[in-house]
Amino acid sequence: MTQHIELDVGGMTCASCAARIEKKLNRMPGVEASVNYATEQAAVLLPVGTSADDAIAVVEATGYSAELRAAPVPAAHDAHDAHDDHGHDTHSHFDHDLELLPAATGPTDPRARRIEAIRMLTRRLAVSTALTVPVVLMAMVPALQFPNWQWLSLALAAPVAIWGAWPFHRAAWMNLRHGGVTMDTLVSLGVLAAFGWSLFALFLGDAGMPGMHMSFTLFAEPGSGADELYLEVAAAVTVFMLVGRLFEARAKLRSTDAIAALLELGAKDASVLRDGVEVRVPIGELVVGDRFVVRPGEQVATDGRIVQGESAIDASLVTGESVPVEVGPGDAVVGATVNAGGRLVVEATRVGADTELATMARLVEEAQQGKADVQRLADRVSAVFVPIVIALSAAALVGWLLVGAGWEVAFTAAVATLIIACPCALGLATPTALLVGTGRGARLGILIRGPQVLESTKRVDTVVLDKTGTVTEGRMSLAEAVPADGESAADVLRIAAAVESGSEHPVAAAIVAGADASADALPAVESFAATAGDGVHGIVEGRLVAVGRPEWLATAWGIRLDRPLAERLTALEADGRTVVAVAWDGAARGILAVTDAVKPTSADAIARLRGLGLRPILVTGDNERVARAVAAEIGIDDVRADVRPAGKADVVRALQAEGRVVAMVGDGVNDAVALASADLGIAMGTGTDAAIAASDLTLVRSDLLAVGDAIRLSRRTLATIKANLFWAFAYNVAAIPLAMLGFLSPLLAGAAMAASSMFVVANSLRLRRFE
């Protein structure tokens, strides 16, 4: 028995910090932990006998703070807080985020802490920049070097090197106390070394003499002595590092706001009917069973089922689906969608953390906490990176001294090596792309379960599609009732509906609805039983009645259709109808045809899947003629018909045995095993909880076009991750040798290091424009 907890971790400043915490947690007996630098969270699996307090204590003993993470619950915000009148996302404006904190935000809220940290970092950067600019100008332009200019330069640079760089110094010291080194160690060493050299030159060398002048070069020159100042290096590197840290912090806040944006979509309050009177109550007071009114233009307060009224529901804020959907009594509606038409009365079916909006937020959060295999490689590199860089810096210093190049060349190479190294880019490469990709997917109604899903989408070459509810509307309706000779259509339908009233199958629902009578008006059914994928039977008015597939009646009951019924069945199936036979007293009494219209976007969706290099296969429990009629309509030539629910998983496994990488798309309980068996399970969000739980990708909107969108987004996100990692590795492989060989000054090294992290984050943020 294990316990899964999530921790908010404070104090991490680079990927090396996350690697250290993860290593410490995983040393605990039986504990499995994954620490994500970008989300500042730790996912921890605790064995029996180990508590959350034990894990928190280990994190704190490593030099960081930790606290249990609260579960995401929809916030009470009006839709206009998150969107303008045109539906545009106003939370993308970062300054607006800084000014408008959620009212419920407390002092321990991670988002509030991040925003406050960004404010402090912004102030530190502004002051440091104002002091650094004249220092750099005096060092670069000899004409500005008036008598004793170097002492003014010291007065301006000292606050920057000490106070401006204090976050790096403090983190380096805290890590050193716990026996560790991180990115902050490299920055702190570089800044203090440049500042210390300058103090030595001013007070013990010749740099403090009146009339001292210094020419600016990007590369150190052999033979230079202790009369050179590095104040501009200490100050400018600090500013570059602060710029990189601020850019990184703002990007992380933006990318993790996907969850906050989802939860803020909901309505603030609802008009609940109490004894026939409308009472306005906060959304948090709603309970299951409450009936509330939704007027035109208002948001649906929570998930529910319409009990009165007809309208069109605009779900674009939640699912990205642009076309409003017509709804009426009995239809389910999702919280945060907008009533675009008439007055509705809705009965709440799910509230609070159980709503679809909260479920979406949990799925996105779980995905953002995961790590891909490529990220684990980057984490292992980051864990040993800093000690190696310090050793290489020392080697550069000693090497240049041994060849007689002089102290300044040796010192410049050593400091540049310290500053140029950038494990932050490695640590940010995967999480930032994953954060932005999953966040963008959530706004488009695409929920990605985790980074391993991205790697699966790249390899998939075959898509297996369930028919009902996936390719078709999933709302069957009775098309025709055909009685046998001597029977009436009304009687055949009435008796069949009585038996089918005990079933939840879509065909059964269509037959019952077609009988145009409530369940109370139908004859009672006794000894009801169902055979999965075949049919149902029971006793109605003293007669044993069976309703199901004609093949099932023939094999299990020995009942066959007469020629007129068989000929009519063939014609109906050729038109794409699903046909069931009705029998009692040992003879076939008629057939019932139901139809399930193909979704208008299905044919276009199949074409797009082919454009992605995927081979579509239609799998259905319907017979061959019906299946092929539907397949021909949407452009699929590979059809697997007469497949029982358990057989769908067998189809997937058979394709895998042929060497294919299979994606399965479905929405029903009988699809769950196949979804779990596939290399990539894709559940339509309108489907069952079992199907969604077994899937890797969940599509909130019931549109097959979203399958292609999901695969494109996943592949784009994976490509971004790989590009980020390539840049991060290539940057370090190329830059560190150049610094050691003296081709880079510390000033250039600082700028390049900040630029590398900014490049990785900016490249990831491009995913926000995915359409």
Side-chain angles (χ1 to χ4, degrees):
M1 192 72 177
T2 58
Q3 177 190 6
H4 177 81
I5 64 169
E6 294 170 6
L7 302 177
D8 285 316
V9 181
M12 291 192 296
T13 54
C14 69
S16 298
C17 299
R20 285 187 62 232
I21 298 171
E22 187 172 299
K23 185 177 181 180
K24 294 284 187 181
L25 286 172
N26 284 322
R27 283 181 177 174
M28 298 172 67
V31 171
E32 296 180 16
S34 175
V35 181
N36 192 313
Y37 167 53
T39 61
E40 298 178 359
Q41 294 171 21
V44 188
L45 198 62
L46 300 175
V48 175
T50 303
S51 69
D53 290 338
D54 296 330
I56 291 173
V58 168
V59 176
E60 291 176 344
T62 311
Y64 305 87
S65 65
E67 61 184 25
L68 277 173
R69 180 171 180 77
V73 177
H77 287 273
D78 194 354
H80 291 290
D81 290 341
H83 290 79
D84 62 21
D85 293 336
H86 301 286
H88 296 143
D89 184 5
T90 58
H91 285 285
S92 63
H93 300 292
F94 180 75
D95 294 334
H96 182 68
D97 276 338
L98 292 181
E99 295 167 6
L100 299 179
L101 285 177
T105 297
T108 60
D109 183 69
R111 187 170 185 271
R113 286 202 306 267
R114 288 184 183 182
I115 292 178
E116 182 58 30
I118 290 173
R119 283 176 174 151
M120 294 175 63
L121 193 57
T122 302
R123 288 194 293 267
R124 193 178 298 270
L125 174 61
V127 174
S128 298
T129 302
L131 294 174
T132 298
V133 169
V135 174
V136 173
L137 287 176
M138 284 188 289
M140 294 178 65
V141 184
L144 298 178
Q145 295 172 2
F146 55 88
N148 294 315
W149 68 274
Q150 65 270 43
W151 298 104
L152 174 61
S153 184
L154 174 64
L156 294 172
V160 180
I162 298 172
W163 175 80
W166 183 247
F168 306 105
H169 301 324
R170 181 183 56 198
W173 171 244
M174 288 180 61
N175 284 301
L176 191 61
R177 285 176 53 201
H178 292 88
V181 289
T182 65
M183 187 64 222
D184 297 289
T185 308
L186 301 181
V187 176
S188 180
L189 277 176
V191 171
L192 290 178
F195 187 65
W197 176 284
S198 301
L199 292 178
F200 171 80
L202 283 169
F203 291 101
L204 299 177
D206 299 329
M209 300 297 291
M212 178 266 191
H213 287 275
M214 187 177 76
S215 59
F216 179 80
T217 60
L218 289 177
F219 306 102
E221 297 178 1
S224 299
D227 58 351
E228 293 291 328
L229 298 180
Y230 280 88
L231 292 172
E232 81 283 1
V233 170
V237 165
T238 298
V239 169
F240 287 142
M241 296 302 102
L242 289 174
V243 168
R245 187 66 56 87
L246 178 61
F247 186 86
E248 179 183 309
R250 290 175 59 162
K252 285 199 295 184
L253 182 64
R254 284 177 178 175
S255 57
T256 55
D257 267 356
I259 296 173
L262 278 175
L263 296 179
E264 289 172 6
L265 288 177
K268 182 187 298 182
D269 46 34
S271 295
V272 180
L273 291 174
R274 309 274 196 207
D275 298 323
V277 179
E278 291 185 30
V279 180
R280 205 75 180 171
V281 302
I283 194 73
E285 295 182 12
L286 277 178
V287 297
V288 173
D290 276 346
R291 293 191 174 188
F292 57 91
V293 176
V294 188
R295 292 182 176 80
E298 290 184 339
Q299 284 186 298
V300 177
T302 190
D303 296 359
R305 190 167 299 279
I306 296 173
V307 294
Q308 182 182 327
E310 294 182 350
S311 182
I313 291 293
D314 180 357
S316 59
L317 295 183
V318 179
T319 68
E321 193 169 13
S322 58
V323 180
V325 179
E326 297 292 333
V327 293
D331 289 332
V333 290
V334 176
T337 55
V338 177
N339 178 14
R343 179 180 182 274
L344 297 175
V345 177
V346 180
E347 181 176 314
T349 55
R350 290 188 291 190
V351 297
D354 296 326
T355 62
E356 186 163 330
L357 202 61
T359 302
M360 287 171 62
R362 280 196 298 273
L363 289 174
V364 174
E365 192 171 52
E366 289 169 6
Q368 292 180 345
Q369 289 171 354
K371 289 187 179 182
D373 291 339
V374 287
Q375 177 62 28
R376 297 191 183 279
L377 171 62
D379 288 347
R380 288 195 294 271
V381 172
S382 296
V384 299
F385 188 81
V386 175
I388 290 175
V389 170
I390 293 174
L392 291 174
S393 176
L397 179 70
V398 173
W400 280 110
L401 289 176
L402 289 177
V403 299
W407 274 101
E408 189 187 357
V409 173
F411 177 78
T412 300
V415 172
T417 302
L418 286 174
I419 294 173
I420 196 71
C422 188
C424 288
L426 286 174
L428 290 169
T430 296
T432 51
L434 187 61
L435 286 168
V436 180
T438 53
R440 181 57 182 157
R443 299 309 299 269
L444 295 174
I446 300 166
L447 304 182
I448 303 171
R449 282 298 178 95
Q452 67 281 357
V453 174
L454 306 179
E455 293 163 345
S456 298
T457 58
K458 184 67 176 176
R459 298 181 291 109
V460 165
D461 55 26
T462 303
V463 178
V464 175
L465 302 163
D466 175 53
K467 181 178 76 70
T468 304
T470 302
V471 171
T472 62
E473 295 286 358
R475 297 179 181 177
M476 291 196 168
S477 59
L478 183 68
E480 189 175 346
V482 182
D485 289 341
E487 303 291 343
S488 72
D491 203 33
V492 169
L493 181 57
R494 183 179 66 87
I495 298 298
V499 181
E500 292 284 20
S501 64
S503 172
E504 295 181 352
H505 195 280
V507 171
I511 292 172
V512 173
D516 195 25
S518 68
D520 294 334
L522 293 172
V525 59
E526 301 173 7
S527 303
F528 173 84
T531 303
D534 286 321
V536 296
H537 65 275
I539 297 174
V540 178
E541 297 178 343
R543 293 174 289 193
L544 178 58
V545 182
V547 183
R549 295 157 56 92
E551 297 83 1
W552 175 62
L553 289 180
T555 56
W557 298 85
I559 299 173
R560 299 184 182 278
L561 302 180
D562 59 27
R563 178 171 292 181
L565 285 179
E567 290 176 350
R568 185 60 186 147
L569 180 145
T570 300
L572 289 168
E573 289 183 342
D575 289 337
R577 303 286 192 264
T578 297
V579 182
V580 296
V582 183
W584 63 78
D585 293 340
R589 306 295 177 170
I591 57 175
L592 301 174
V594 296
T595 183
D596 183 9
V598 172
K599 292 177 182 177
T601 57
S602 291
D604 188 19
I606 296 302
R608 295 190 186 186
L609 290 175
R610 290 188 186 278
L612 291 171
L614 304 173
R615 170 191 173 193
I617 297 175
L618 186 67
V619 176
T620 178
D622 280 336
N623 63 67
E624 187 81 17
R625 287 188 295 273
V626 172
R628 292 215 170 271
V630 172
E633 186 175 345
I634 60 175
I636 294 180
D637 49 23
D638 192 340
V639 178
R640 313 293 169 91
D642 295 305
V643 178
R644 301 293 187 272
K648 293 180 181 180
D650 295 333
V651 171
V652 170
R653 295 188 190 104
L655 290 167
Q656 290 170 330
E658 297 173 8
R660 294 192 167 274
V661 181
V662 182
M664 171 72 196
V665 184
D667 73 334
V669 172
N670 55 18
D671 299 325
V673 177
L675 287 167
S677 300
D679 299 284
L680 180 68
I682 304 176
M684 307 295 280
T686 51
T688 64
D689 291 340
I692 293 171
S695 68
D696 302 305
L697 283 168
T698 300
L699 309 179
V700 178
R701 65 184 194 268
S702 180
D703 186 346
L704 199 57
L705 283 174
V707 175
D709 291 339
I711 292 176
R712 285 196 306 113
L713 175 60
S714 298
R715 289 180 175 180
R716 180 83 59 83
T717 304
L718 182 62
T720 301
I721 289 173
K722 289 183 175 180
N724 287 348
L725 286 171
F726 171 80
W727 168 259
F729 276 112
Y731 164 83
N732 283 293
V733 168
I736 291 176
L738 289 175
M740 293 180 67
L741 293 172
F743 292 116
L744 291 176
S745 73
L747 204 62
L748 282 179
M753 177 197 163
S756 68
S757 291
M758 292 168 66
F759 171 85
V760 165
V761 174
N763 190 45
S764 299
L765 289 175
R766 290 170 57 238
L767 288 168
R768 298 176 72 186
R769 298 196 296 269
F770 176 88
E771 295 293 338

